[in-house]
Amino acid sequence: HVSDNYYLLGYLNSALVAYVLSLTSGLQKHYVYIRPVPVLDLSPSAKDDIASAAREAVEIKQRWDSTSETSPLFSSLALIPLSNHATVAAVGKVYRAQWERDTVRLREHRTKINQTVFDATDLGSEDFAEIEKLTASFPPDVPSADALGLESDGGEALAVALVSYCVGCVFGRWDVRTVTGELRQTVLPD
């Protein structure tokens, strides 16, 4: 069942499982180390909460990856409403605002997954503090690490990033026939 897959994806990416794996496997995360990870017996509603948060996080990541020219999932141009904005800087602000909103949503989904898993345990506050110490060292949850020109607030750097992106789309992996309907858009895997 699809929701079971999302539940397992969310559970296996929870802070609790990351902590267990850090204790048992070091940098290598092969099935030999993942197979013995205990799966908590959660209520159906808790499993649904985890599955829903994981599904929404995957959808955010897939949407950004599908518009990232350097991603293997690249299938379409970033949908930035250019006609509504007078300057490159204005376009950049709209794009950055969407990236920031999706970053917040990813953090909320991660928090929901972790809290749901933690609620199902008998761990104390000291245990949670130890797990939080580990997860604080993880890279931040962001929609896309290579998002178009987000290292700048606009101006020349953003203009260069936009031109580079457009050239990459034209001469790279993107095919205009996906927009005209001649070629079916790639369906992103679950």
Side-chain angles (χ1 to χ4, degrees):
H1 194 266
V2 173
S3 68
D4 291 341
N5 292 340
Y6 283 111
Y7 158 67
L8 286 173
L9 179 66
Y11 180 79
L12 290 173
N13 280 280
S14 70
L16 180 63
V17 171
Y19 182 74
V20 168
L21 287 173
S22 74
L23 294 175
T24 60
S25 67
L27 295 176
Q28 302 299 320
K29 306 298 189 239
H30 298 288
Y31 72 94
V32 172
Y33 301 108
I34 295 172
R35 184 176 36 200
V37 169
V39 178
L40 299 175
D41 186 24
L42 301 174
S43 70
S45 66
K47 287 181 179 181
D48 287 344
D49 288 346
I50 291 171
S52 176
R55 182 182 315 104
E56 291 176 30
V58 166
E59 288 170 358
I60 291 169
K61 290 289 219 172
Q62 284 180 332
R63 183 167 32 85
W64 280 88
D65 278 352
S66 72
T67 62
S68 173
E69 194 272 329
T70 59
S71 169
L73 299 178
F74 181 65
S75 61
S76 64
L77 292 168
L79 299 176
I80 304 171
L82 297 175
S83 62
N84 297 338
H85 308 289
T87 66
V88 170
V91 170
K93 286 180 183 179
V94 169
Y95 188 73
R96 182 179 204 72
Q98 182 60 50
W99 186 86
E100 289 171 355
R101 281 191 300 273
D102 284 345
T103 297
V104 168
R105 289 180 57 214
L106 285 172
R107 287 185 196 134
E108 290 169 351
H109 295 316
R110 169 83 63 190
T111 300
K112 176 68 173 171
I113 289 168
N114 289 336
Q115 192 59 54
T116 303
V117 172
F118 288 158
D119 288 347
T121 69
D122 293 330
L123 298 175
S125 59
E126 292 174 6
D127 300 316
F128 292 133
E130 184 70 24
I131 293 168
E132 289 294 322
K133 189 169 103 178
L134 169 74
T135 58
S137 69
F138 292 172
D141 285 323
V142 294
S144 175
D146 66 341
L148 176 65
L150 289 177
E151 64 278 354
S152 68
D153 287 333
E156 186 177 334
L158 180 60
V160 168
L162 280 169
V163 169
S164 174
Y165 178 74
C166 291
V167 169
C169 291
V170 171
F171 296 107
R173 299 183 200 122
W174 191 72
D175 190 331
V176 72
R177 294 175 299 169
T178 58
V179 173
T180 64
E182 292 177 56
L183 188 66
R184 293 183 55 171
Q185 192 169 1
T186 306
V187 177
L188 300 175
D190 283 337

